[in-house]
Amino acid sequence: MYLLKEILLWIMMIIVVVISMIGVVIGITIIQEKVFVPDELITWVVNLPTFNLIFIYELIMILGVFYLWDRFFVKKWGVSRRRERHAVFSKYKKIIISFFVIGNLVLLYAIVTAMTVVTEDEIIVHSFASPQGKVYSYHDIVEINTGVYGKNKPFMHSKGDFFYIIKLEDGTEIDLTEMGSSTAESDEEGNEIVTGVW
């Protein structure tokens, strides 16, 4: 009976984790659109590799879910074999909670600000150091590279993925295929606007 209860709780916890991960991505996207995306835009894209910190953020959130669920499991079902682990947590509770909160806030800030907005008149690159965004004109584009990646790069791209990278005069590179959303009726329309102005 005990084993069945534990299996059911682990299945439920996995479901909670999956829902939480999806919720985090949707929540961050909504925040980005509400805070940084103007009404008049062509597209907005996420800035790699900074945006990939979302995987670390989700891992921390998962650990938090595991801990809370484990505490629930101990209290509800009286499982004593986990109490030693919680004794260690209680000893360093303030440090762990402080690290957890501060780490989450810093990661969330870095992820949310890792985006670029492309409008008909300008390109606005947001970042950790410049959340208000650095503004570029289309005349600042010095190079456009397109093609297909020839090999996999973990958490970045897969073999065969298409890339459309514009390079600005200060060396900033933006991959327009990492799209968050777009108002262009098609990818070709968006590409024509960029290449036409350049």
Side-chain angles (χ1 to χ4, degrees):
M1 186 66 179
Y2 161 79
L3 180 60
L4 178 61
K5 289 179 179 179
E6 186 169 12
I7 291 174
L8 289 174
L9 282 173
W10 274 98
I11 292 174
M12 291 173 64
M13 184 179 67
I14 291 173
I15 294 173
V16 170
V17 167
V18 171
I19 293 174
S20 298
M21 291 175 67
I22 296 173
V24 165
V25 175
I26 294 175
I28 288 175
T29 301
I30 291 174
I31 293 173
Q32 288 178 315
E33 289 185 338
K34 294 294 184 182
V35 176
F36 298 114
V37 178
D39 294 330
E40 305 81 15
L41 85 155
I42 297 173
T43 186
W44 68 268
V45 297
V46 296
N47 300 338
L48 298 180
T50 305
F51 187 79
N52 285 334
L53 289 173
I54 193 171
F55 295 112
I56 298 177
Y57 182 79
E58 289 187 335
L59 176 60
I60 293 177
M61 295 298 293
I62 289 172
L63 291 175
V65 170
F66 266 80
Y67 171 75
L68 293 175
W69 196 270
D70 199 40
R71 292 284 290 183
F72 170 83
F73 187 84
V74 169
K75 289 182 178 180
K76 290 293 182 181
W77 303 99
V79 182
S80 59
R81 61 192 174 121
R82 292 182 171 87
R83 293 194 181 279
E84 183 178 347
R85 194 187 314 165
H86 295 309
V88 174
F89 174 83
S90 298
K91 184 177 180 181
Y92 302 101
K93 184 175 181 179
K94 290 184 179 180
I95 296 175
I96 294 174
I97 292 178
S98 297
F99 175 80
F100 182 82
V101 172
I102 294 173
N104 270 281
L105 290 175
V106 172
L107 281 174
L108 181 60
Y109 170 78
I111 295 166
V112 169
T113 56
M115 64 176 297
T116 295
V117 176
V118 181
T119 70
E120 292 186 4
D121 304 313
E122 58 192 13
I123 301 169
I124 309 169
V125 181
H126 300 276
S127 66
F128 186 94
S130 181
Q132 75 279 6
K134 187 173 181 179
V135 180
Y136 299 87
S137 73
Y138 283 100
H139 298 292
D140 293 325
I141 299 175
V142 296
E143 186 179 338
I144 295 179
N145 293 314
T146 63
V148 176
Y149 291 110
K151 60 180 180 180
N152 294 325
K153 191 172 182 181
F155 304 108
M156 290 291 289
H157 55 253
S158 301
K159 182 179 180 180
D161 284 352
F162 176 73
F163 63 85
Y164 190 105
I165 300 173
I166 60 174
K167 185 175 182 179
L168 304 173
E169 61 180 3
D170 64 354
T172 300
E173 294 186 350
I174 304 165
D175 189 348
L176 295 180
T177 59
E178 300 297 335
M179 187 179 296
S181 67
S182 174
T183 57
E185 294 182 359
S186 66
D187 291 339
E188 289 77 10
E189 180 182 340
N191 292 342
E192 287 173 4
I193 294 174
V194 174
T195 55
V197 175
W198 185 61

